[in-house]
Amino acid sequence: MLPAVPGLDGDEEGTRIVGEELKLLATVHRALDHAVGADVSAARGRAEDEERMLELRDHVAVAKPEDLPALFEQMHHLGALRAQRGRSISGSVERASPYFGHMRLEEEVAPVPTPDGGRNGKSKRETRRRDVLIGSRSYVDSGEGIRIVDWRHAPVSRIYYRYLEGDDYEEEFGDRIVEGSVIARRGISIAQGQLVRVSAPQGTFVRGTDGLWKRVAVHGARLETERKWSARQGIPAEARLGIGSDGQRRQDKHLPAIAALLDPQQFALIARPPGDSKAGDGLVAIQGSAGSGKTTVGLHRVAYLAFQEPQRFRPDKMFVVVPNEALVHYVSRVLPSLGVEGVPVTTFARFASRLTGQLFPRLPTRISEETPPIVSRAKSHAAMLRAIERTVTRLGESVDKKMGAAMAKWPQGETVIAAWHATEREGSAVPPDTRVSLLAQWLAGKRTLAQTPAATVLPNVTRSALEPLIADLRSQTRAVSALWDEILTSRESLATTFAAERGFAPAQLDQVHEWCVRQTRLRTEGERDGEEPAIDAEDPALLLRCWQALRGPLVDSEAKPIRFAHMFVDEVQDASPVELRVLLDLTGSDRSITLAGDIAQRMMDDDDGRGEFDWNALLDDLGVAHTRIEPLRVSYRSTAEITEFARTILGPLAHDQVPETSRHGPPVELFRFASAGESVAWLAEVLKDLAREEPDANVALITRFPQQADLYFEGLARAEVGSVRRVAKQDFSWEPGVDVTDVRQTKGLEFDEVILLETSAASYPVAPGARHALYVGATRASHQLWCVTSDRPSELVTAALPGGGEGLGA
């Protein structure tokens, strides 16, 4: 008999459905309550069985032959009883929320062929009906007939995700082909052990705070592309983001095509003359909110310079650095469309890895995956630039003393010393090795030095002494790896480097020192105790900067200096000062540079200690003259609803200038579920509906952490969602379907529809790093944005939504 369902009087169908679920939940709770006592009883029974089995074995050892059959039979029965005790109850679930799905199956099990060609004793199919519950953990109580299966691993859970109520199915489970029908399929919400919601094809039923049940009309949450939404709203296609000049949806969704919509401020930045780098006019720093066109402006500036001064700004003499591989592919296609072909486009990691492999062939190429966060933070800190300068200056002073002391002993030694000092006047901050090379060229008669006689005046004995001295000095001024090691493995040097920096306590510097010493030892001694030599992800930048400070310009495979007439660095807020210093020096003294970034999109961990991004402080650290930062005020990518949501997410970190946008779209929504499995089931239905209605749609599902993306990808693939892809290395295909990725993969990219997964308090606490990450994920959406969570939602999200984001599953 079904229990009464208060509130559904007169609704026979609702009473039956909710009553069945209340009865089922009561059975589960009763079994779970009894399981505690059963576990104690079973343990006691197993102990008694064990003792009895030992007694029987003792009897067998001394029994007469005629007594053995009876003893063996007792042992057999006891063994069967022990096995039954072990498998009557297995697994464990939480009483507060044991499952989220219920399906009733009517199955036909096909006979399985036996090795002799028979049919396992059955001549026809067997039909059976059973209830299967879907949860986050497995639990089986054969005595009570309860079967809860893990949605991620149990084969039978595939039926829940792949079929609807009334569907026939055929699945292979192990060595069996199972056919049947889904008699019932319901979504269940259980909170604090109480049934609060039942969702079925016949309707959705919700228990109110007063204990009364009611049938509710669930609002039709659906994803749809901007074209379809705008058509329903009566908005014309022209000038809509994501729609090309032909009125069709853009296939390329990396960045908005806003070249024809440039405002006067953007055009002024693009067309600014290279100017005088010493006055700061050679630097264009573009600050703007997500979707304001920073990257577009930077790329158009590259094209503009190439058109205005084709000899100076040849394509091969310009350089574009972007944050990820997806943008590499995009920019490599966009620049040719602007009439500029052959501009090198890369990420800093790719550029630095190739160059360090060429310049330092003896160093390991493997990048460590175990680098402590404090080590990464120290190695990428601006203080490292000062440490390099300090150490190089000290080495230069040592070389000066060595030169003076050595040449003072020889005839005309003062001429050599004068020539040595003249090398320093050849330019500002001349690297020590460059000075040694200039002196060697002077000695060989290949170069003259200001106010210095030719080397021909030197006696042979002095020339003979100078040649080995130059070779000796070169062994010091070219020891880039030694300089790198000295900065990192000297505890005294680390203390000096970070003496004035916050966030580097002595214990933390000890950790940095120990890690760097360990790495050096592994490189020196080779593999030991299973550890392989490796460098950290931040080391290539340090090595290249050490080379520049000690030896001068970086060189290519032909030993020619690498120089660029113009450089564009995108998403500069995520580059370290060391990386930027390396890049800026590639432009030489007559530098022409465009930097684009957004302080709100800085990707950082909540506890990484880097603090907030400061444009002026960064440029000061780099020693780059600059005049003013140019903020872009118009947001072209996202709708007003998404822009306002994202700005609220930032809270105190938001831009002073409110982004301007006049385009509107659907509201940002939050959907809550009791578990990730329930969330996956709902998403699978929504995404399948979208694929049926708009097969060209491409949706991004974005998590904060890669492990979360793995979980949802596996669940959606299990549910047979079409064209679902796991993007882990910026390898976006931009084909119709579903891209599941984490937020770090999406910098600089745009999608029409975005679903932020697991926007929970655990994933996005009220902290700067979480605010930035959530902002970046939200602003990838141009048209529609959803938030989904299977845990307590983040306060950042609920505070940014009207009414705290009461949505489906709330």
Side-chain angles (χ1 to χ4, degrees), residues 105-119:
L105 307 178
E106 190 173 87
E107 296 180 339
E108 292 185 359
V109 183
V112 179
T114 57
D116 60 1
R119 286 285 184 174

Side-chain angles (χ1 to χ4, degrees), residues 199-248:
S199 177
Q202 296 80 7
T204 298
F205 308 92
V206 177
R207 180 181 183 273
T209 54
D210 55 2
L212 300 179
W213 285 84
K214 62 181 178 179
R215 182 191 289 262
V216 297
V218 179
H219 102 112
R222 64 176 179 178
L223 290 171
E224 59 183 347
T225 61
E226 184 182 16
R227 181 173 62 180
K228 190 165 186 178
W229 183 86
S230 296
R232 288 198 300 106
Q233 302 295 318
I235 302 174
E238 55 269 17
R240 283 195 283 112
L241 197 66
I243 303 299
S245 58
D246 57 357
Q248 299 300 309

Side-chain angles (χ1 to χ4, degrees), residues 478-493:
R478 293 189 174 182
V480 178
S481 296
L483 170 64
W484 170 59
D485 270 334
E486 179 183 349
I487 292 169
L488 297 174
T489 60
S490 167
R491 182 62 179 80
E492 181 181 358
S493 175

Side-chain angles (χ1 to χ4, degrees), residues 59-60 62-74:
H59 288 317
V60 166
V62 296
K64 298 177 181 179
E66 58 269 25
D67 295 331
L68 289 177
L71 291 173
F72 286 147
E73 184 176 1
Q74 291 184 54

Side-chain angles (χ1 to χ4, degrees), residues 579-614:
E579 294 172 354
L580 291 174
R581 178 77 268 173
V582 169
L583 291 173
L584 297 189
D585 269 23
L586 297 177
T587 60
S589 57
D590 188 22
R591 58 170 55 107
S592 174
I593 305 161
T594 302
L595 303 179
D598 178 8
I599 58 176
Q601 294 188 60
R602 188 179 194 187
M603 294 300 297
M604 63 181 185
D605 296 328
D606 294 328
D607 59 351
D608 76 351
R610 287 189 292 167
E612 289 305 306
F613 179 77
D614 185 319

